[in-house]
Amino acid sequence: MKTVHLVQHTHWDREWYFTENDSKAVLYYFMDDLLQRLEADKTLGPFVLDGQTVVIEDYLSVAPDQEIRLRNLIEQGRILIGPWYTQSDFLVVGAESITRNLLLGHADCQRFGETMPVGYVPDSFGQSAQLPMFLQQFAIDSAVIWRGWSEYNVPHSEFSWLSADGSKVTTAVLPWGYGCAKWLPDEPQQAQKALETILAKQTRFSSTDHVLLPNGNDQSPFEYRVPEMLDKLNQQQDEYRYVRSSFSQFFQALESTQIALPVYQGELISPKYMRIHRGIFSTRVDIKQLNAQLEQTLSQHLEPLLAVNWRLGLPYPQSAVDNIWREAMKSHAHDSIGGCNSDRVNAMVKNRLESGLEMANQLIDLNMKMLAEGITAQQDGKKIIIFNARPQTRHGLVELTIFTPEQDFRVVDGAGHECRWQIVEEGRQDMSIIVQELSNSTETTWYRKCKLLLEVSEIPACGYQTLYLQEGVSAGFSPQAAAVVKLENEWLRLEADEQGVLTLTDKRSQQTYHNILQLVDGGDAGDNYNYSPPFDDWLISSNDFLTSVRGEEGLLQSCLTLTWQMAVPSDLTARNEHRADAELDISMTLTLAHKNRWLDVAISVNNTAHDHRLQVLLPTGVQQHVHFADQPFGLIERHNQPPEMAVWKEEQWTEAPVALYPMQSQVMMHDAHRGLCAVTEGLREYQIPEDRQDVIAVTLLRSVGWLGQANMPYRPGRASGMVLPSPESQIQGMHHFKLSLLAMNNGADSAFWRDVENARGNLHAWLATGWSRFRTNPHGRVFPPHFSVLNWDSELHFSVLKKAQHSDALVVRGWNPTLASIPCGEVITSGTITPATLAEIALEIHQEAVPTCAPATFVITF
């Protein structure tokens, strides 16, 4: 006899084709009913509140007087909460976001009762290979998932899932989804007929006689009559024994069988039985870029700055930072960050991210101002704070914008030694917009606005250095630039022919890459969920549409700017008729710093076309069957072409398993002698074309006008979501994209990984002008002109420096980007150093080496 574990739940989308305001109104009545039913019948429960504590937050925002009732049921174990704050999409958001999601979710659970110790991920559009690692870091030993699994990965729906670092969780798949047993009839005989079909499918891949039966659905009311109905079925048949259960009880029963489960390592992105919606990685690229910018601003700038200032005696606004993270995570749910929503919801998602960025930048500005205020000047002039978030001493180039009435100026360090700089952009600025005292003036005060590239050195680790802007004084060098027709330094050479076709030469190996960074526009007959090519696509490249090329060599870097007016179809109808009746104005600026081994690429596109996709191509010339991309806290190897593409139509998969993949910010293809790597800012998708498997195609944007559509080439059958127009997802107007391009001459060696980390930046410059939109009283503290909190001599990549969540300590974290273990290195600071998990719980053993795809976290108490 098979034991069927009834798990009652709801899946709560905060927003989708409806807004969060709609869902909060529904939630009020849903929770009112749930509380009443559970209180009236003590035999009911436990009930899973979708594994995300934001549901509690939302409910109490509309029913704060019900907290005691809710708390009592949670403490009794009749409502199960957590471990997440929100149900994120784990293939799109960043590693620190996933970490904070669990950290804040656990904090919420501790306020109300126990945490459900199961990594419940019912609706992420695919599963990250790193999920077992994240769960184990929070002492969670089991996971329940839906999308992304098939028997091509592992033959059973219960298995041991292994991350690359060795972390393992017992995993159960809901093969037919969290709603497979929704809306069951109350009458036993009718229910038995429905359950025969459901359980035949549920048991098809089971490795034991224990079966999960999830009873619930999207925003669906509590089916409180189902347990009693199943009790009656227990008396009327002997094929199944139905028990009122939970995920934890199911895993206990699974363990009691002592059956050895198969082991699987890797991500789960198979769309055989359930759609994973390959396309959300590039839908609404404006939202993706904004989210990446907010994640980076928080973990790579604001939190390290606050940590340094906290060590100097300034307050650390923990709740304010947590609130920014929480608002960001409300935009991280699978539909929200996927962009597969109504236009109204996408606007709300974007607004939350913009609001978070506004507050983060204001906190940065105020803390830089307070820092500069406490530094006693060593030289004349305005103070420039160069902040280094990374735990190693830094040198290199940093951008700084200044406003000055003077034609001449120079920058010096504390000893009076002059720093070199280069103007990369110049204009005029109305100062009444910036200086509060000038806002009511009857005359306009115009200053020069200069965006500088400043050369700096010996910037302390996790700290700052003070420089000085001296106006009205001539620089001791000539900042003049000269025209050039190619870019070249010690390592690289980039040339453009008369059509604008680019050739990159790696001077270290003499390997060349022809027709690099070509732009290709194609049709998109998909929707917000899936890219899908037209049945007869018409691809148009940038090669025939060049309008200008101009180059400039400066003191610190050189740049080459190409512009195109690409004639493209205005929509799908025009593309089908091969009518190029629209025009894309595109510019690409390629920058090569004299001391850098990588090329920086900035692309601007005025999007005036509909129903299309624009990609930039990186032909590697590498004859390999695999490539690599980054994932949260690690690297993953993928096939250039999934072998399942040969069978998906015959086996009637829910969508095509095309080589359209997610990344965090990096993708590369290489052999021992040549290869290319792209490091992007907010671009989350790339493709390996089926007919050109040595090419990496990075998606810049895709324009579609529907939330869901039916019968698409890559996704046959019903529409996903709702067949609802979403014209704003055509994302018309100007868009700006950035990436860095690295040529690989010796595989992914340590020098390459240093270049990848340096290409990501982490140096920040701030000018103390004395102007401010907001006045604050002096804090009265005195700070040194340079300061460092800690130094960590390590090849790990930097993740964050921040204050500990629940104690007066600091947390510093790095991660291993490579496919092999690397030495952890030593953290040097004045405090006591304790290795810890992502949950900030102390570890008993300090590992000398950090495994592949693993973070290393230290808590420092002073």
Side-chain angles (χ1 to χ4, degrees), residues 231-288:
D231 288 343
K232 293 177 181 177
L233 273 183
N234 279 335
Q235 300 170 10
Q236 299 173 11
Q237 53 81 50
D238 57 8
E239 184 177 2
Y240 299 106
R241 182 173 70 90
Y242 297 96
V243 297
R244 306 180 190 195
S245 191
S246 67
F247 293 129
S248 294
Q249 290 170 295
F250 169 79
F251 283 112
Q252 289 170 7
L254 196 65
E255 185 178 8
S256 70
T257 66
Q258 297 186 330
I259 292 176
L261 298 177
V263 177
Y264 175 73
Q265 180 177 330
E267 62 187 350
L268 293 166
I269 55 173
S270 172
K272 180 174 182 179
Y273 298 111
M274 65 293 289
R275 295 169 173 180
I276 64 164
H277 298 128
R278 298 189 190 217
I280 66 154
F281 314 131
S282 56
T283 299
R284 287 302 299 260
V285 70
D286 55 337
I287 288 175
K288 303 295 190 301

Side-chain angles (χ1 to χ4, degrees), residues 384 396-400 402 404 406-412 417-426 448 450-456 467-481 554-557:
I384 300 172
L397 304 176
V398 62
E399 289 186 352
L400 171 68
I402 68 169
T404 178
E406 302 291 343
Q407 187 61 37
D408 295 322
F409 58 85
R410 69 173 189 162
V411 177
V412 299
H417 301 135
E418 190 166 6
C419 302
R420 300 194 304 167
W421 48 264
Q422 178 181 338
I423 296 177
V424 294
E425 193 175 303
E426 183 172 357
R448 293 175 69 198
C450 299
K451 183 178 178 181
L452 304 182
L453 198 66
L454 183 62
E455 186 178 51
V456 297
L467 306 179
Y468 302 88
L469 173 68
Q470 297 178 341
E471 297 168 279
V473 182
S474 297
F477 56 87
S478 173
Q480 298 300 315
L555 184 68
L556 303 176
Q557 68 178 23

Side-chain angles (χ1 to χ4, degrees), residues 592-746:
L592 182 62
H594 300 334
K595 295 183 179 180
N596 288 349
R597 289 185 290 265
W598 64 87
L599 192 69
D600 290 317
V601 184
I603 304 171
S604 295
V605 180
N606 184 13
N607 184 30
T608 58
H610 295 74
D611 312 323
H612 72 120
R613 182 180 69 168
L614 185 66
Q615 294 182 312
V616 60
L617 305 189
L618 307 177
T620 67
V622 172
Q623 303 305 310
Q624 298 276 23
H625 298 297
V626 297
H627 65 279
F628 304 89
D630 61 346
Q631 58 180 341
F633 291 141
L635 194 70
I636 189 166
E637 178 182 305
R638 293 186 175 123
H639 290 288
N640 291 354
Q641 289 299 313
E644 296 84 3
M645 278 295 287
V647 300
W648 81 275
K649 286 186 178 180
E650 178 185 347
E651 295 184 358
Q652 297 182 328
W653 286 34
T654 63
E655 66 181 67
V658 293
L660 195 61
Y661 293 116
M663 60 177 165
Q664 292 281 291
S665 64
Q666 180 183 354
V667 57
M668 62 186 187
M669 187 184 293
H670 67 89
D671 57 24
H673 307 290
R674 64 182 287 130
L676 292 174
C677 171
V679 178
T680 70
E681 293 187 19
L683 299 175
R684 298 294 213 213
E685 179 186 277
Y686 69 93
Q687 184 174 18
I688 308 299
E690 193 170 0
D691 58 345
R692 298 182 64 190
Q693 294 188 32
D694 65 339
V695 171
I696 301 169
V698 176
T699 304
L700 298 180
L701 61 82
R702 58 186 294 259
S703 300
V704 291
W706 291 88
L707 171 55
Q709 291 199 93
N711 297 316
M712 300 190 302
Y714 278 179
R715 200 192 68 212
R718 66 171 178 84
S720 288
M722 300 288 171
V723 182
L724 184 71
S726 60
E728 291 179 15
S729 294
Q730 297 282 7
I731 56 170
Q732 302 293 278
M734 288 299 302
H735 297 274
H736 306 282
F737 310 101
K738 288 185 178 181
L739 59 92
S740 297
L741 183 61
L742 294 88
M744 304 176 70
N745 70 312
N746 191 32

Side-chain angles (χ1 to χ4, degrees), residues 145-438:
I145 61 173
W146 175 28
R147 299 182 193 268
W149 168 90
S150 80
E151 70 271 27
Y152 282 90
N153 304 119
V154 60
H156 296 295
S157 53
E158 298 82 32
F159 56 93
S160 290
W161 190 5
L162 197 65
S163 283
D165 74 326
S167 301
K168 183 169 64 174
V169 295
T170 304
T171 305
V173 176
L174 304 173
W176 314 105
Y178 55 81
C180 66
K182 63 188 176 186
W183 309 328
L184 288 174
D186 298 337
E187 201 279 320
Q189 277 66 43
Q190 293 179 19
Q192 185 167 3
K193 291 180 181 179
L195 285 166
E196 285 175 359
T197 303
I198 293 168
L199 290 172
K201 295 172 71 174
Q202 286 294 91
T203 59
R204 177 179 169 187
F205 298 106
S206 293
S207 54
T208 74
D209 286 336
H210 290 275
V211 184
L212 275 174
L213 186 69
N215 172 230
N217 200 45
D218 300 350
Q219 295 73 238
S220 189
F222 179 30
E223 297 181 47
Y224 62 94
R225 293 191 181 95
V226 167
E228 183 181 0
M229 177 271 293
L230 292 179
D231 288 343
K232 293 177 181 177
L233 273 183
N234 279 335
Q235 300 170 10
Q236 299 173 11
Q237 53 81 50
D238 57 8
E239 184 177 2
Y240 299 106
R241 182 173 70 90
Y242 297 96
V243 297
R244 306 180 190 195
S245 191
S246 67
F247 293 129
S248 294
Q249 290 170 295
F250 169 79
F251 283 112
Q252 289 170 7
L254 196 65
E255 185 178 8
S256 70
T257 66
Q258 297 186 330
I259 292 176
L261 298 177
V263 177
Y264 175 73
Q265 180 177 330
E267 62 187 350
L268 293 166
I269 55 173
S270 172
K272 180 174 182 179
Y273 298 111
M274 65 293 289
R275 295 169 173 180
I276 64 164
H277 298 128
R278 298 189 190 217
I280 66 154
F281 314 131
S282 56
T283 299
R284 287 302 299 260
V285 70
D286 55 337
I287 288 175
K288 303 295 190 301
Q289 289 177 299
L290 191 59
N291 177 66
Q293 185 183 1
L294 177 56
E295 289 178 326
Q296 290 294 102
T297 299
L298 285 170
S299 63
Q300 305 277 301
H301 192 179
L302 174 60
E303 288 179 317
L305 174 61
L306 292 175
V308 169
N309 281 6
W310 180 69
R311 287 295 298 142
L312 291 170
L314 293 174
Y316 194 107
Q318 182 72 62
S319 293
V321 176
D322 285 349
N323 286 341
I324 299 174
W325 277 112
R326 286 180 185 270
E327 289 301 302
M329 288 170 203
K330 290 174 183 176
S331 292
H332 288 172
H334 49 284
D335 295 310
S336 304
I337 196 63
C340 38
N341 311 294
S342 66
D343 281 345
R344 167 66 176 148
V345 170
N346 280 333
M348 296 175 77
V349 170
K350 189 173 183 178
N351 180 68
R352 278 196 295 268
L353 297 171
E354 288 174 335
S355 296
L357 198 57
E358 281 177 354
M359 187 166 188
N361 285 329
Q362 186 58 242
L363 285 170
I364 290 170
D365 194 60
L366 289 170
N367 274 270
M368 282 294 199
K369 178 176 177 288
M370 289 188 288
L371 181 58
E373 176 190 313
I375 295 172
T376 302
Q378 296 178 298
Q379 297 288 331
D380 292 336
K382 294 174 180 174
K383 291 173 228 177
I384 300 172
I385 308 298
I386 308 297
F387 183 78
N388 174 21
R390 292 232 306 261
Q392 297 90 30
T393 301
R394 296 284 309 285
H395 64 272
L397 304 176
V398 62
E399 289 186 352
L400 171 68
T401 298
I402 68 169
F403 305 97
T404 178
E406 302 291 343
Q407 187 61 37
D408 295 322
F409 58 85
R410 69 173 189 162
V411 177
V412 299
D413 64 15
H417 301 135
E418 190 166 6
C419 302
R420 300 194 304 167
W421 48 264
Q422 178 181 338
I423 296 177
V424 294
E425 193 175 303
E426 183 172 357
R428 294 206 310 161
Q429 178 66 52
D430 176 1
M431 297 306 294
S432 65
I433 297 173
I434 296 174
V435 184
Q436 188 179 38
E437 289 80 356
L438 298 177

Side-chain angles (χ1 to χ4, degrees), residues 84-194:
W84 307 101
Y85 174 63
T86 60
Q87 285 287 354
S88 294
D89 191 285
F90 295 95
L91 296 178
V92 178
V93 303
E96 282 298 327
S97 289
I98 298 171
T99 302
R100 309 312 172 83
N101 200 318
L102 280 167
L103 203 59
L104 293 173
H106 276 66
D108 289 348
C109 291
Q110 290 166 12
R111 284 179 51 219
F112 287 93
E114 294 295 322
T115 306
M116 184 175 72
V118 178
Y120 181 50
V121 184
D123 211 13
S124 179
F125 294 147
Q127 311 295 334
S128 169
Q130 292 289 75
L131 186 60
M133 181 276 296
F134 278 103
L135 295 177
Q136 276 293 317
Q137 290 271 330
F138 282 81
I140 297 173
D141 297 323
S142 55
V144 174
I145 61 173
W146 175 28
R147 299 182 193 268
W149 168 90
S150 80
E151 70 271 27
Y152 282 90
N153 304 119
V154 60
H156 296 295
S157 53
E158 298 82 32
F159 56 93
S160 290
W161 190 5
L162 197 65
S163 283
D165 74 326
S167 301
K168 183 169 64 174
V169 295
T170 304
T171 305
V173 176
L174 304 173
W176 314 105
Y178 55 81
C180 66
K182 63 188 176 186
W183 309 328
L184 288 174
D186 298 337
E187 201 279 320
Q189 277 66 43
Q190 293 179 19
Q192 185 167 3
K193 291 180 181 179

